[in-house]
């Protein structure tokens, strides 16, 4: 809580940290033959980001993701892909304290302490419907939920399930302006 409401806000400029990530295809149906068009492939990926500074404007100290992707699983659908992903996010101590205090200030009842680590497991799909239209869907399960991105929620967060569906329109491809031949 703010102990002196007349005090100037503490400010900082920029954040220091690092990011590492990579993706590696470890299996191809065609055994890696050069020139094969859109072979079925399995890839693994991982990424990790860490802030070094204590003061982080978004409240996340660390994030990590890893998963598997299958590309072109069917010859008739060479541009589709499906993924299985795990995720982890860690709050800064300041964000954890803010979420705990904001819950009480918003009228939340009970003994709530924001959890510092949140985990997720998800499935996703990217399906090319036509040249320039991609339909993407996901389903995600969260564990050890906290109120990050909504710290003033008056109800304690619970582990949950979310899903979504969205479309990407590649207008330049749809109008023939991308220079790529139609798929």
């Amino acid at each position: 809580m703010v102990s002196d409401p007349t005090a100037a806000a503490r400010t900082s400029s920029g954040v220091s940290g690092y990011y590492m990530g990579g993706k590696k295809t470890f299996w191809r149906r065609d055994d890696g033959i050069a020139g094969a068009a859109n072979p079925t492939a399995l890839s693994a990926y991982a990424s990790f980001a860490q802030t070094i500074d204590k003061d982080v404007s978004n409240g996340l100290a660390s994030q990590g993701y890893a998963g598997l992707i299958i590309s072109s699983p069917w010859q008739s659908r060479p541009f589709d892909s499906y993924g299985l992903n795990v995720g982890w996010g860690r709050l800064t101590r300041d964000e954890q304290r803010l979420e705990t205090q904001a819950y009480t200030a918003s009228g939340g009842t009970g003994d709530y302490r924001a959890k510092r680590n949140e985990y997720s497991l998800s499935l996703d799909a990217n399906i090319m419907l036509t040249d320039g239209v991609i339909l993407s869907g996901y389903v995600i399960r969260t564990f050890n939920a906290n109120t990050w991105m909504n710290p003033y929620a008056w109800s304690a967060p619970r582990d949950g399930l979310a899903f979504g569906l969205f479309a990407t329109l590649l207008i330049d491809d749809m109008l023939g302006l991308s220079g790529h031949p139609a798929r």
Side-chain angles (χ1 to χ4, degrees), residues 73-92:
W74 299 283
Q75 271 190 323
S76 63
R77 310 278 321 151
F79 300 109
D80 294 354
S81 66
Y82 302 88
L84 171 65
N85 316 283
V86 294
W88 163 74
R90 182 175 178 87
L91 300 176
T92 63

Side-chain angles (χ1 to χ4, degrees), residues 17 27 43 64 66 86 116 122 135:
W27 178 82
S43 303
V86 294
R116 203 154 171 215
S122 65
L135 184 66

Side-chain angles (χ1 to χ4, degrees), residues 101-165:
Q101 292 172 352
Y103 172 79
T104 303
S106 297
T109 59
D111 185 26
Y112 171 70
R113 177 171 164 78
K115 296 175 177 136
R116 203 154 171 215
N117 294 295
E118 183 172 300
Y119 307 94
S120 65
L121 178 64
S122 65
L123 297 169
D124 63 66
N126 297 290
I127 301 166
M128 183 167 274
L129 297 177
T130 65
D131 196 34
V133 179
I134 303 167
L135 184 66
S136 300
Y138 66 90
V139 61
I140 184 169
R141 174 76 163 99
T142 58
F143 303 92
N144 215 34
N146 56 46
T147 56
W148 183 69
M149 304 270 303
N150 190 15
Y152 290 96
W154 56 268
S155 62
R158 295 181 294 176
D159 297 348
L161 186 65
F163 57 91
L165 190 64

